[in-house]
Amino acid sequence: MTGASNTPYFDVVVVGSANLDLVASLESLPKPGETLIANGYAEHAGGKGLNQAVACARMGARTAFVGCVGSDDAGVMLRAILEKEGIDTSHLVSVSAPTGRAFINVDKHGENAIVVIAGANAFVGTEIQLQLPTSRVVLAQLEIPLETVLSVFESARRNGSVTVLNPAPASRLQPEILALTDIIVPNETESEVLGGTSVLFGHGVATVVTTLGAHGATVETPSSTNHVDPFAVTPVDTVGAGDAFIGALCSEIARGRAVLDAAKVAAVGGALATTVHGAVPSLPTLQQVQQAMSKQ
Ligand code: ADP
């Protein structure tokens, strides 16, 4: 590792999942017991960890990805995709379990229903020892073991990094994780499962950024509430909106921006992601976000 000992080497370290996404386009989402014929099919790199790492890198952050893939073709493909985005993969470990998969159904309105198979992601920090490179921001989600999120945030705090948690998929969390979280970024469903903003503050979270889909976002601290207006777009597929929002938020925070200002940029990133199909293909670059903001 290069860089002075007290200088974070990365802007953002993402500790999370990497999946191969299998995406079916349908008229409507299947009901229990129903079999539908898809209108279209595509395979993309995915997983909240990988998506958010790519979102950070496209927003100009020096980004490292810490996680696990299988020793299979999908694992080789995901590593190559991360590297093509300029993301450091020296802490991406290949394990014997298969690479994670996500089965994504998208209806004609852009609504989605997703099933995730953890595979290699279940090994992150449990079967393999994690090494956390130093960074300004450490970002985690809940597609890896929760005990790993806890130990990652403990090291992040020791290193003086800002800890950002995207509590997705929705899950109740042990208070110890929340006590180590500087900024939590739930959507409305996730916020409800966690018991709402006041519960999060009660456990020691400093800032809650709640994403509200087409209604934008809110940024709350125990003493302030601010609404972030949505950026007007015509959505075609909401997959990746949350990931684009969080990637932009973390990159801007790593640049030293206040959370509210970072969330305004993130709202543009999230909105732009809804205008393109898929997750990784839809994540905007810093240049695209800046261009959109200049037209606001
Ligand atoms: P998730 O995909 O995690 O459920 P959201 O749907 O809340 O997340 O979207 C994340 C962010 O993306 C929102 O806070 C908002 O800023 C932006 N966004 C999502 N959908 C739209 C939309 N239809 N129009 C404008 N902005 C959107």
Side-chain angles (χ1 to χ4, degrees):
M1 187 167 300
T2 58
S5 57
N6 288 327
T7 308
Y9 186 58
F10 291 103
D11 294 319
V12 185
V13 165
V14 183
V15 185
S17 59
N19 290 329
L20 182 64
D21 283 358
L22 314 175
V23 185
S25 311
L26 301 143
E27 278 296 295
S28 58
L29 298 177
K31 296 175 186 61
E34 192 179 19
T35 300
L36 298 173
I37 307 289
N39 301 326
Y41 175 72
E43 293 188 354
H44 303 292
K48 292 180 196 299
L50 181 146
N51 290 347
Q52 291 174 22
V54 172
C56 290
R58 289 196 184 158
M59 286 298 293
R62 292 165 306 163
T63 306
F65 182 73
V66 178
C68 290
V69 288
S71 307
D72 47 21
D73 289 349
V76 171
M77 180 190 133
L78 297 183
R79 184 183 296 276
I81 285 168
L82 286 161
E83 288 171 357
K84 191 169 144 261
E85 298 286 338
I87 295 166
D88 182 279
T89 59
S90 39
H91 302 275
L92 176 63
V93 180
S94 296
V95 297
S96 56
T99 296
R101 298 279 195 289
F103 298 94
I104 302 177
N105 291 324
V106 184
D107 77 9
K108 64 180 176 190
H109 305 295
E111 280 302 320
N112 61 63
I114 303 173
V115 176
V116 174
I117 313 290
N121 298 307
F123 287 66
V124 181
T126 54
E127 301 295 320
I128 58 132
Q129 190 67 33
L130 277 188
Q131 287 193 0
L132 206 60
T134 55
S135 61
R136 295 181 198 284
V137 173
V138 171
L139 166 64
Q141 314 78 22
L142 306 181
E143 289 183 339
I144 56 171
L146 293 186
E147 59 264 42
T148 303
V149 175
L150 181 63
S151 66
V152 160
F153 276 12
E154 280 167 351
S155 341
R157 274 276 163 95
R158 279 197 298 275
N159 292 342
S161 309
V162 175
T163 56
V164 180
L165 181 65
N166 172 220
S171 163
R172 294 187 75 83
L173 286 176
Q174 63 232 65
E176 292 79 5
I177 292 181
L178 296 172
L180 292 165
T181 301
D182 294 313
I183 303 167
I184 194 163
V185 192
N187 65 14
E188 286 173 289
T189 314
E190 291 146 8
S191 174
E192 212 169 287
V193 170
L194 289 165
T197 307
S198 49
V199 170
L200 296 170
F201 290 143
H203 288 301
V205 175
T207 308
V208 180
V209 181
T210 309
T211 66
L212 307 171
H215 300 291
T218 54
V219 177
E220 294 169 88
T221 69
S223 59
S224 66
T225 299
N226 285 283
H227 185 257
V228 176
D229 289 333
F231 180 74
V233 285
T234 306
V236 297
D237 172 9
T238 59
V239 174
D243 297 327
F245 183 99
I246 289 161
L249 185 83
C250 290
S251 307
E252 291 298 302
I253 287 168
R255 283 191 183 100
R257 269 206 227 263
V259 182
L260 181 58
D261 292 333
K264 289 176 184 167
V265 179
V268 179
L272 292 182
T274 70
T275 63
V276 179
H277 284 282
V280 169
S282 74
L283 300 169
T285 62
L286 179 60
Q287 196 189 11
Q288 288 169 327
V289 169
Q290 284 173 340
Q291 259 171 17
M293 290 180 84
S294 69
K295 290 183 197 140
Q296 246 175 340

